[in-house]
Amino acid sequence: MTQHLAAPAAAPTTGTHTGWWRDAVIYQVYPRSFADSNGDGMGDLEGVRSRLPYLKELGVDAVWLSPFYASPQADAGYDVADYRAIDPMFGTLHDADALIREAHGLGLRIIVDLVPNHCSDQHDWFKQALREGPGSRLRERFHFRAGKGETGELPPNDWESIFGGPAWTRVEDGEWYLHLFAPEQPDFNWEHPAVQDEFRSILRFWLDLGADGFRVDVAHGLVKAPGLPDLGARDQLKLLGNDVMPFFDQDGVHEIYRSWRRILDEYEGDRVLVAEAWTPTVERTARYVRPDEMHQAFNFQYLGTHWDGAELREVIDTSLAAMRPVGAPTTWVLSNHDVTRHATRFANPAGLGTQLREQGDRELGLRRARAATMLMLALPGSAYVYQGEELGLPDVTDLPDEVRQDPSFFRAAGQDGFRDGCRVPIPWSGTEAPYGFGPVAGGPSWLPQPASWAGLSVEAQSGDPDSTLELYRSALRLRRDHPDLGAGEEVEWLAAPEGVLAFRRGSFVCAANTTGEPVPFTAPGTRLLASAPVEDGVLPADGTVWWAV
């Protein structure tokens, strides 16, 4: 049942300026794994609210909250049953209101996750569509079709679910419905005006409550090609993000976001739209952030880049060039709730990419992760930080099968199914699990935390000048205070040895050594910060250094 509140929360006023999002550092909170206020082992909104001062001290500008809506939790809340209600596991709408108000009081902005491509099969619309049967008007709000074959026993087309298997499920009356993800997540038909009207109303509901913007899940997936044509490819998953597909990155999505932008522009405080858009090229990503559409789009090309100087320079140049014509800021991100944490991703000496699951060399992974973070924070534009990366957390690679909850883990031929490894609750304090995640010593956490995390907690790292947490705090403070960091469109590349990225931005210089050996490098000015111990005239192996010149 939808919960209601009367009064909206006020957006931050201190330091507000047009285009705050152009240089913002945005911290992703995965609510179930951030902080548990009531000891049930599941993070919640009150837990997030209690930790807002930590995020303020860390130095971020905004908090992006992964879904907390009413949901059966078939896909960790990305199967929404009611977009205007809070799932009881996370609290109430009053808790959301209090969180937004307190964040604004601290000068932090709140971005909420919006899931418009699909809903839960427990959403009232879908349940009614099932009851009303073939030919009903409610079914037109989804993609119901007759099957192929003599008796309709075959799916309507050859599309595959991102989680593996057919993207179609047959219901008792013989029709099939489309779900690009789990069967519990039926896709909306965005050609239907009722769907468009409903989401415009949902936008206003959260904007009225005080939300500062929306991260739009599967922003590239809302519109499907007319007629839902067969793809005709044997391995469709390899095409994801590499080619335009009949169910992804269709041109029709852009008119939807133009209509949304008009709504956001009615509100004060620079409300923002952020696209999760997996596209074949950064040039196609740039189409989502034209002046009358969204404000930002995740730079997945950068996230997928190896720890390699030449590869990084190419994607940095390409990203900046793609965003320049549309006047949008480039975004940079290294980790999120769907990919291997970069401290693990970079742990293999060969520099394997996002799907690395081996333990690798943890010390090497952390060293590279620290260097990669400093490189990212020095680049022009906006940066995203995933909860726990400031602690240097690795993926938990040895979770037993019986505790896993990632739906793709239970389906063959889909994603690798190991996203739980980057979703383990983060450690705050103490020497044994749950490390302050919940209020009870030795209490539960929805995924088990490793014994090795005692030394990685916020408490253990605070005040240690060599810790990853203090490196993040220092880097974010310098980024905020230095006049030549943050927003911008250009870097001035400097001559550097092979494997080294060196660039200047006004009176600031950054150099990142992606090789495993120290490299001679003449200091261009006064050293501000380094990701690893530095000797004069040398860049440390797998290290990044900042200077003021």
Side-chain angles (χ1 to χ4, degrees):
M1 180 177 178
T2 300
Q3 308 150 14
H4 295 281
L5 285 178
T13 55
T14 302
T16 298
H17 60 281
T18 300
W20 64 268
W21 37 273
R22 290 187 171 275
D23 61 357
V25 176
I26 300 171
Y27 186 98
Q28 181 189 359
V29 165
Y30 196 66
R32 63 173 55 207
S33 298
F34 192 64
D36 169 19
S37 70
N38 59 12
D40 66 356
M42 185 68 65
D44 47 48
L45 294 182
E46 176 60 22
V48 177
R49 189 187 66 80
S50 72
R51 297 294 187 178
L52 289 174
Y54 164 79
L55 297 178
K56 177 66 175 178
E57 181 187 4
L58 182 62
V60 301
D61 302 295
V63 178
W64 153 33
L65 296 168
S66 291
F68 46 74
Y69 308 109
S71 166
Q73 304 295 320
D75 184 22
Y78 283 93
D79 50 317
V80 181
D82 188 340
Y83 291 85
R84 298 177 184 85
I86 308 300
D87 195 281
M89 73 191 308
F90 297 126
T92 67
L93 196 58
H94 290 278
D95 294 327
D97 177 64
L99 192 164
I100 292 172
R101 289 177 183 274
E102 184 152 338
H104 287 170
L106 291 169
L108 297 170
R109 290 174 169 84
I110 295 293
I111 295 171
V112 298
D113 223 315
L114 188 65
V115 188
N117 179 70
H118 49 263
C119 63
S120 167
D121 61 355
Q122 298 305 303
H123 190 286
D124 284 345
W125 282 8
F126 190 75
K127 290 193 295 183
Q128 187 175 348
L130 291 181
R131 289 194 300 268
E132 292 188 0
S136 69
R137 290 189 175 183
L138 259 295
R139 290 207 173 183
E140 294 174 1
R141 298 179 184 183
F142 301 92
H143 294 280
F144 279 90
R145 296 288 187 277
K148 294 181 178 179
E150 291 185 7
T151 60
E153 73 278 11
L154 299 176
N157 67 20
D158 66 358
W159 295 359
E160 295 177 2
S161 164
I162 308 304
F163 290 161
W168 296 89
T169 290
R170 198 177 193 187
V171 299
E172 290 184 1
D173 55 44
E175 284 199 328
W176 298 72
Y177 68 89
L178 176 68
H179 53 86
L180 292 182
F181 293 87
E184 297 88 350
Q185 295 169 292
D187 279 42
F188 284 115
N189 174 17
W190 272 87
E191 302 295 329
H192 199 290
V195 175
Q196 299 183 26
D197 289 345
E198 170 68 355
F199 274 89
R200 284 193 286 265
S201 173
I202 291 167
L203 289 175
R204 292 186 186 281
F205 178 87
W206 288 102
L207 291 168
D208 289 343
L209 196 66
D212 298 290
F214 304 90
R215 176 266 190 185
V216 182
D217 183 63
V218 196
H220 54 297
L222 277 56
V223 173
K224 279 65 175 177
L228 310 185
D230 282 342
L231 187 56
R234 291 187 176 181
D235 195 347
Q236 296 181 19
L237 289 173
K238 288 186 178 179
L239 298 178
L240 295 177
N242 297 310
D243 200 356
V244 177
M245 306 177 77
F247 47 78
F248 280 164
D249 199 27
Q250 294 291 305
D251 289 341
V253 299
H254 298 289
E255 187 52 45
I256 295 169
Y257 300 133
R258 291 186 185 100
S259 72
W260 289 13
R261 177 63 175 265
R262 290 191 290 271
I263 292 173
L264 265 69
D265 286 347
E266 297 173 9
Y267 288 78
E268 296 181 353
D270 282 337
R271 313 297 178 99
V272 300
L273 290 168
V274 181
E276 183 209 30
W278 291 87
T279 66
T281 65
V282 289
E283 289 80 10
R284 286 199 68 88
T285 301
R287 293 165 58 85
Y288 290 79
V289 290
R290 288 175 288 195
D292 60 346
E293 294 190 40
M294 296 195 176
H295 299 78
Q296 289 186 350
F298 288 155
N299 189 344
F300 290 117
Q301 283 78 12
Y302 186 78
L303 185 150
T305 305
H306 301 87
W307 182 238
D308 174 86
E311 193 174 336
L312 284 163
R313 177 164 175 170
E314 180 180 2
V315 76
I316 290 168
D317 282 340
T318 303
S319 299
L320 292 171
M323 296 298 145
R324 201 174 295 126
V326 295
T330 308
T331 64
W332 314 101
V333 60
L334 291 166
S335 288
N336 65 33
H337 67 291
D338 279 334
V339 301
T340 308
R341 289 183 177 274
H342 60 287
T344 295
R345 209 163 68 237
F346 295 150
N348 189 289
L352 296 180
T354 56
Q355 300 305 313
L356 173 67
R357 291 299 164 192
E358 293 77 13
Q359 288 284 82
D361 183 334
R362 283 193 173 182
E363 183 177 344
L364 175 63
L366 179 57
R367 185 182 183 92
R368 286 176 167 177
R370 288 163 59 99
T373 293
M374 282 188 57
L375 171 62
M376 175 184 77
L377 292 176
L379 293 169
S382 178
Y384 283 78
V385 173
Y386 176 50
Q387 66 176 44
E389 72 171 73
E390 77 276 15
L391 305 177
L393 296 185
D395 261 40
V396 179
T397 57
D398 56 355
L399 289 170
D401 290 355
E402 59 268 22
V403 305
R404 294 190 179 277
Q405 298 191 28
D406 183 351
S408 61
F409 180 78
F410 302 98
R411 305 190 70 192
Q415 295 177 350
D416 61 14
F418 286 86
R419 294 178 298 174
D420 292 319
C422 67
R423 299 175 177 182
V424 174
I426 67 175
W428 292 94
S429 60
T431 58
E432 62 180 26
Y435 306 113
F437 168 66
V440 180
S445 62
W446 73 280
L447 287 173
Q449 302 152 301
S452 60
W453 279 17
L456 298 179
S457 72
V458 172
E459 180 182 61
Q461 295 195 45
S462 291
D464 177 358
D466 297 325
S467 71
T468 300
L469 175 57
E470 294 298 345
L471 177 71
Y472 268 72
R473 286 172 172 166
S474 296
L476 291 172
R477 182 175 60 253
L478 286 167
R479 188 183 191 276
R480 181 178 61 249
D481 293 343
H482 197 289
D484 293 316
L485 287 178
E489 297 179 351
E490 306 287 347
V491 297
E492 176 190 351
W493 292 108
L494 305 176
E498 185 177 356
V500 172
L501 291 170
F503 59 86
R504 180 170 181 156
R505 299 184 62 198
S507 61
F508 170 87
V509 168
C510 173
N513 178 11
T514 67
T515 76
E517 300 294 333
V519 173
F521 195 87
T522 302
T526 303
R527 188 167 71 244
L528 298 173
L529 191 63
S531 66
V534 182
E535 298 179 5
D536 289 341
V538 174
L539 275 180
D542 293 307
T544 298
V545 183
W546 291 357
W547 294 272
V549 296

